[in-house]
Amino acid sequence: MSPMKEECYREPIFDNVDPENIFTNTFPVLNIDLKTAKIEDTVWTGQFELTAYHNDYCHALLLYFDAHFSDASKHISLNTGPNHRATHYKQLVLYLRHDLTVCKDEKIVGTLTLKMRQGRDMEIRVDYKFSGANNKPVAESQLFLLPGKKLGKS
């Protein structure tokens, strides 16, 4: 495997993804209340279950966030997903080591763990399972490192 390809399996890519490339439901993995979250909260874990709308190939998982500000006089939402107008917050593409051949109504299930590291670095661990009609069963764990950007540096 080429070093470039191997790097794609370790470091996520920021991109605006065309909604036509999405073939599963979306699934909220984490819900963090910033009013009650503590600086000591450095690990978040959530489960997901994605169901295919039609037959397709799955090469990656896509992460994005929605932020809702409800304490203001007017409720404000910032949506960064592929089905919303593009912002400078792009989606995070996590390429899978195994291309999955997924048929309509088949499910990809798993757990996502986000862990803050030193500075603004973050570890993203994805544990997923898939057993489809056209695929050997897959149970995989992948660890991604999202390097944090240093404030004030270009």
Side-chain angles (χ1 to χ4, degrees):
M1 181 177 305
S2 76
M4 180 72 108
K5 188 171 184 180
E6 185 60 32
E7 190 66 22
C8 289
Y9 298 132
R10 286 194 307 258
E11 189 169 317
I13 297 170
F14 286 99
D15 201 0
N16 285 316
V17 176
D18 186 330
E20 290 187 19
N21 291 324
I22 309 297
F23 75 102
T24 70
N25 61 307
T26 60
F27 199 91
V29 177
L30 300 172
N31 186 4
I32 302 169
D33 185 343
L34 296 179
K35 291 187 289 186
T36 59
K38 300 181 189 103
I39 193 106
E40 299 84 30
D41 296 337
T42 59
V43 180
W44 300 276
T45 300
Q47 296 183 345
F48 62 87
E49 181 178 282
L50 304 173
T51 304
Y53 294 140
H54 57 82
N55 299 353
D56 214 328
Y57 299 98
C58 180
H59 306 283
L61 298 177
L62 186 66
L63 301 182
Y64 62 90
F65 69 91
D66 295 334
H68 304 284
F69 304 95
S70 57
D71 281 352
S73 59
K74 179 181 173 188
H75 181 85
I76 299 170
S77 291
L78 170 63
N79 301 299
T80 65
N83 291 315
H84 296 279
R85 196 180 91 212
T87 70
H88 74 277
Y89 296 106
K90 297 179 179 183
Q91 293 94 49
L92 194 60
V93 180
L94 306 174
Y95 281 103
L96 303 177
R97 288 187 187 280
H98 301 280
D99 292 337
L100 307 176
T101 304
V102 183
C103 294
K104 182 180 180 186
D105 295 326
E106 291 182 339
K107 297 180 185 310
I108 303 167
V109 297
T111 302
L112 175 77
T113 302
L114 304 176
K115 179 180 179 183
M116 297 304 297
R117 295 179 49 162
Q118 292 208 353
R120 294 176 51 157
D121 291 352
M122 180 184 292
E123 278 183 15
I124 302 169
R125 180 185 171 121
V126 179
D127 298 295
Y128 67 94
K129 293 179 183 177
F130 176 72
S131 182
N134 297 320
N135 223 90
K136 290 182 182 177
V138 175
E140 181 75 29
S141 181
Q142 278 186 245
L143 185 64
F144 299 87
L145 177 61
L146 182 62
K149 294 182 179 176
K150 307 297 184 233
L151 295 175
K153 307 267 182 182
S154 297

